[in-house]
Amino acid sequence: MENTYYNPADLKKFGNISELQPEMGRKFFDYYGEVFKEGALTEREKALIALAVSHAVQCPYCIDAYTSDCLEKGADENQMMEAVHVAAAIKGGAALVHGVQMMNKIKDLTM
Amino acid sequence: MPIPVKSLKAQQHQFANPAFQLEVLQHAGTEEGDFPLFGAKLQQHQLYPLRPTGTTILQVNVGKMCNQTCRHCHVDAGPDRKEIMTRDTMQLCLDALAKSPQLTTVDLTGGAPEMNPDFRWFVEQLSAMGRQVIVRCNLTIILANPKYHDLPEFFKAHQVQVVSSLPYFSASRTDAQRGDGVFEKSIKALQMLNQVGYGQEGSGLELNLVYNPSGAFLPAGQKSLEGEFKRRLKSGYDIEFNNLFCITNLPISRYLDYLVESGNYSSYMEKLVTAFNPVAAVNVMCRNTISVGWDGALYDCDFNQMLELKVQPGTPQHIRDFDLDQLDRRQIVLDQHCYGCTAGAGSSCGGSTT
């Protein structure tokens, strides 16, 4: 067992998750591959979405992988940072919008 | 990381030595061991020994002198490089072409080929022979000195296909690779080329751009990136061009120095090896191209030229002894840098190969 929770070398071993459950692993990676193919969205747009989500879910493996992928797909630093701000805005907004729930509760509880 | 103004050779840098570069390349690997030899990889796919499929392109490197010192340059070109092809050697190229009608295309590269004092004479002779001439123009040379301002008209007069590097449609990414101010000058040069008809539909004047990644990563899908370049260059600068060629940076010379210095060398090599694509290996450019050095020596490609790996011993070694039938039967010389041409969608001087 590592003495840290995250090891950059583990990213390359992602495929190994199939060892303990081959069928589900295969289905997941087939699906994953399909999702990132060019469709109504370009591969670059999908990589930028993935980068933003990586930040929202705060996954260091995903940030590593999708920073490289965005560069490889031809995105530039401005686009990538804007994508991260979109993630930040949604995460911040998601926290703040619950302020309405808080305000409703305040109304319920106060004179 | 600032761009050095001197070539590696002028700095007496160890990566200016091809033997040292090969040593580094041959001992690359991960914790699990050295990377498989490129030749062995080809053997797994019944492609070894690799041989030409029929040579149609003569690529001539007319010299290492350049007005730029790009961070990724595999030639280690720059203003301090004095190696220049003489008119006599150019004449030997013309003689070789005269006896080899199969060579329909002549691809002129450098350095900045236009800085060779006999460049225009050479293009005129090639054009008179009816060969398709490609010039790998770095764009900024057009603005570097008034004597070069008429290059777009000169290219047009000889129906030259212009191939120019523009690593990105933004200044920051372009200048980081090619030097401060290069983006702005490149844009102006592209507008000058457009003005005489280059890249314009129906003009027959082909203007192709080259995208090399500005860093330790592989290039994007060519078609998708071409669309993005066209959209951005048209809307931002009213520039039009024909095709975008995506070229992988090969781990030699200044790019190898960058990889090692930035700590990306092993991971980049691993990317190239992991992304080995047998279809790209079938289509590598050395199977239809012969490369001529500034001194007339013959190589399988411009990268082998910079590593001083001449064509197989026993076949003509110099343009004065050119014999296409014999050269077309040669075994292509391979080393670990060749993984750069077979990764992903493949890479050649004409872009992706799959």
Side-chain angles (χ1 to χ4, degrees):
Chain A
M1 188 72 185
E2 305 287 339
N3 57 6
T4 57
Y5 285 113
Y6 290 113
N7 178 355
D10 287 347
L11 176 56
K12 280 190 289 189
K13 300 175 190 162
F14 188 12
N16 298 355
I17 60 133
S18 300
E19 284 173 14
L20 299 184
Q21 225 311 338
E23 190 52 21
M24 288 185 188
R26 186 188 61 75
K27 283 182 174 168
F28 172 79
F29 286 115
D30 284 351
Y31 167 74
Y32 197 99
E34 202 58 37
V35 163
F36 281 95
K37 277 185 190 161
E38 181 133 351
L41 294 170
T42 65
E43 289 185 347
R44 183 174 40 260
E45 287 163 342
K46 289 182 180 183
L48 284 164
I49 293 169
L51 182 72
V53 175
S54 302
H55 283 76
V57 299
Q58 292 166 294
C59 167
Y61 297 121
C62 314
I63 293 170
D64 183 339
Y66 284 98
T67 299
S68 300
D69 198 49
C70 281
L71 289 170
E72 291 186 355
K73 296 287 184 321
D76 70 11
E77 293 88 331
N78 290 337
Q79 293 168 333
M80 290 161 69
M81 188 51 92
E82 281 186 23
V84 174
H85 276 291
V86 171
I90 294 297
K91 282 208 91 169
L96 276 174
V97 74
H98 288 81
V100 178
Q101 192 180 352
M102 174 194 73
M103 287 160 73
N104 290 342
K105 188 72 180 173
I106 289 171
K107 263 191 205 155
D108 289 346
L109 295 177
T110 56
M111 281 185 263
Chain B
M1 203 180 285
I3 296 180
V5 288
K6 280 185 177 177
S7 66
L8 295 174
K9 190 180 181 193
Q11 294 173 52
Q12 297 182 312
H13 195 290
Q14 56 187 2
F15 279 129
N17 176 3
F20 181 77
Q21 293 179 52
L22 286 167
E23 200 182 309
V24 170
L25 283 165
Q26 286 158 5
H27 295 96
T30 61
E31 287 167 3
E32 289 133 42
D34 284 358
F35 295 126
L37 293 177
F38 185 76
K41 196 82 173 172
L42 290 190
Q43 206 147 26
Q44 285 172 12
H45 298 276
Q46 289 76 50
L47 281 167
Y48 187 85
L50 188 67
R51 295 192 192 278
T53 47
T55 306
T56 57
I57 303 167
L58 189 73
Q59 189 173 62
V60 185
N61 192 311
V62 297
K64 298 183 179 181
M65 188 182 284
C66 191
N67 58 318
Q68 294 181 189
T69 45
C70 300
R71 191 75 183 89
H72 70 308
C73 182
H74 71 279
V75 179
D76 190 28
D80 58 52
R81 298 302 299 262
K82 306 300 177 203
E83 301 92 329
I84 283 289
M85 183 176 276
T86 62
R87 190 180 283 211
D88 286 348
T89 306
M90 288 177 178
Q91 184 59 56
L92 293 174
C93 293
L94 296 170
D95 296 345
L97 285 160
K99 61 181 183 184
S100 316
Q102 307 94 310
L103 298 173
T104 53
T105 301
V106 182
D107 184 341
L108 300 181
T109 187
E114 302 89 341
M115 290 178 84
N116 183 310
D118 293 310
F119 168 76
R120 293 193 193 214
W121 174 82
F122 195 33
V123 171
E124 284 161 4
Q125 306 306 308
L126 294 166
S127 162
M129 289 175 90
R131 304 302 164 98
Q132 170 66 61
V133 180
I134 297 172
V135 172
R136 297 192 180 264
C137 171
N138 72 11
L139 296 173
T140 64
I141 192 68
I142 295 173
L143 298 161
N145 183 306
K147 71 179 175 184
Y148 298 126
H149 289 357
D150 67 337
L151 276 170
E153 285 85 359
F154 175 78
F155 291 150
K156 178 182 179 176
H158 296 285
Q159 297 284 300
V160 166
Q161 184 194 129
V162 177
V163 177
S164 295
S165 283
L166 189 74
Y168 212 65
F169 41 75
S170 71
S172 62
R173 194 71 72 75
T174 302
D175 291 1
Q177 183 190 84
R178 301 178 71 77
D180 285 345
V182 166
F183 181 75
E184 202 184 323
K185 286 179 198 159
S186 300
I187 290 296
K188 200 160 180 190
L190 286 170
Q191 288 166 338
M192 287 166 76
L193 285 161
N194 274 176
Q195 266 164 22
V196 301
Y198 270 97
Q200 310 293 314
E201 212 179 314
S203 72
L205 298 170
E206 208 168 309
L207 171 60
N208 298 319
L209 298 183
V210 170
Y211 163 87
N212 297 85
S214 308
F217 52 93
L218 301 183
Q222 190 165 276
K223 207 172 163 52
S224 147
L225 200 56
E226 180 182 284
E228 184 77 351
F229 262 67
K230 285 194 169 174
R231 195 170 62 79
R232 295 294 196 101
L233 288 178
K234 181 68 183 165
S235 66
Y237 310 97
D238 199 25
I239 286 169
E240 288 176 297
F241 67 96
N242 298 94
N243 306 295
L244 184 75
F245 298 155
C246 285
I247 301 188
T248 303
N249 289 310
L250 260 67
I252 70 167
S253 193
R254 280 194 212 139
Y255 188 69
L256 178 59
D257 174 44
Y258 156 75
L259 289 173
V260 171
E261 211 177 302
S262 63
N264 284 303
Y265 175 56
S266 291
S267 59
Y268 187 75
M269 284 304 294
E270 192 179 3
K271 263 186 205 178
L272 295 183
V273 174
T274 308
F276 176 84
N277 177 354
V279 180
V282 169
N283 298 328
V284 281
M285 68 177 175
C286 47
R287 302 186 89 185
N288 65 8
T289 304
I290 292 262
S291 160
V292 189
W294 67 276
D295 57 357
L298 298 178
Y299 303 89
D300 295 297
C301 70
D302 205 48
F303 302 108
N304 278 11
Q305 183 180 141
M306 300 314 149
L307 290 168
E308 296 179 0
L309 297 169
K310 287 190 186 174
V311 285
Q312 186 187 21
T315 51
Q317 300 286 298
H318 193 277
I319 190 72
R320 81 171 77 82
D321 305 315
F322 197 83
D323 178 339
L324 192 55
D325 288 341
Q326 217 186 325
L327 284 160
D328 267 349
R329 291 193 298 272
R330 77 190 189 281
Q331 185 175 333
I332 292 165
V333 176
L334 309 166
D335 214 303
Q336 296 302 77
H337 62 293
C338 300
Y339 276 114
C341 288
T342 57
S347 180
S348 73
C349 289
S352 302
T353 54
T354 58

